[in-house]
Amino acid sequence: MKDTYKSITEASEEVLFKDRNSKFFGYAFPIKSEDEVKAIIEDLKKKHHQARHWCYAWQLGKEEQDHQFRANDDGEPSNSAGMPIYGQIQSFEVTNILIVVVRYFGGVKLGVGGLINAYRTAAQLALEESNILKRTIDDLYILQFDYPEMNVVMRIIKEHNLNVIDQQLALDCKIFISVRKKESEAIFEKFSNVYKVEIKQLEH
């Protein structure tokens, strides 16, 4: 069971690819939702207000079956910009990412083949400039129990090196934990078998 994914930690440095006087500036950004895309594109349009095209592709979702993506040619010939950019996202196996390539037209037409190569290369350079990290896919749980059960619960948390995200410790206690997906079932079972401890999975 694959329970890891790759993403970037911060926006990449600006990269530049040139072909016959056309300039292609490439950028990679970490994103958590589609809502962030518009603002990033707007910022780049202000920065590069004399450019011709702001082409991009993004992908969201930690697991393959949950992947959502979009590719946008922004006025370039169909599939000559957005899809070559998306191809690099797939090639580097990254997700929760937006890649934008800004083009300044240099007076010479590059043809569809030339455009595909230029957008693909600018996206590749942006990814090579990025800090790509592998992360685990985790499930979130809430543990609910009375204070006397604290020792048992903490012992299991320590034994399995579980990540405590938040805790509310009073007479009735709540502890929020994240568990790596492939260990999830075993941990759920373990807590379910503890008398007087309730475990529930939470939506992300």
Side-chain angles (χ1 to χ4, degrees):
M1 179 199 226
K2 187 169 185 279
D3 70 347
T4 57
Y5 68 99
K6 289 194 285 190
S7 193
I8 64 173
T9 51
E10 59 202 1
S12 69
E13 294 291 321
E14 175 182 281
V15 297
L16 172 61
F17 175 73
K18 291 181 188 168
D19 187 2
R20 285 165 281 180
N21 296 333
S22 274
K23 289 179 185 171
F24 297 84
F25 289 94
Y27 302 88
F29 300 92
I31 57 167
K32 288 198 170 78
S33 75
E34 188 183 346
D35 300 340
E36 295 171 55
V37 173
K38 199 174 169 195
I40 293 171
I41 304 283
E42 290 306 316
D43 279 352
L44 287 174
K45 285 189 171 178
K46 282 179 200 150
K47 183 176 177 171
H48 293 286
H49 53 91
Q50 290 181 310
R52 277 279 183 90
H53 305 278
W54 297 264
C55 305
Y56 63 87
W58 55 259
Q59 179 161 280
L60 288 164
K62 293 175 185 174
E63 295 180 79
E64 225 162 284
Q65 67 270 21
D66 300 332
H67 281 169
Q68 297 169 282
F69 78 93
R70 178 154 302 155
N72 187 320
D73 294 316
D74 192 34
E76 293 283 31
S78 186
N79 293 330
S80 68
M83 284 313 280
I85 295 170
Y86 181 61
Q88 289 306 302
I89 291 177
Q90 289 177 302
S91 167
F92 280 74
E93 297 179 333
V94 283
T95 189
N96 294 355
I97 190 168
L98 164 70
I99 296 181
V100 186
V101 178
V102 179
R103 181 191 183 191
Y104 287 82
F105 182 55
V108 180
K109 289 197 169 175
L110 303 184
V112 169
L115 290 173
I116 289 171
N117 178 57
Y119 282 104
R120 183 176 56 217
T121 306
Q124 179 190 336
L125 293 172
L127 280 161
E128 285 169 356
E129 275 296 313
S130 300
N131 185 16
I132 297 174
L133 278 193
K134 190 183 252 191
R135 296 192 165 115
T136 57
I137 299 168
D138 300 326
D139 287 332
L140 300 180
Y141 291 101
I142 178 172
L143 303 166
Q144 292 175 291
F145 52 93
D146 292 333
Y147 197 78
E149 268 52 65
M150 173 68 79
N151 285 346
V152 179
V153 170
M154 291 318 279
R155 192 174 69 237
I156 297 173
I157 287 175
K158 268 210 177 72
E159 256 171 37
H160 295 275
N161 207 8
L162 300 176
N163 190 13
V164 174
I165 296 166
D166 192 13
Q167 48 190 19
Q168 295 157 17
L169 306 178
L171 283 174
D172 49 339
C173 303
K174 289 178 184 173
I175 294 184
F176 297 83
I177 56 171
S178 73
V179 182
R180 190 166 170 175
K181 203 169 183 71
K182 65 177 170 197
E183 294 159 7
S184 202
E185 222 168 285
I187 295 296
F188 184 84
E189 195 93 337
K190 190 118 195 164
F191 280 112
S192 299
N193 292 333
V194 179
Y195 180 56
K196 290 187 176 171
V197 174
E198 188 191 346
I199 178 167
K200 272 198 303 216
Q201 187 167 359
L202 299 170
E203 289 297 312
H204 278 267

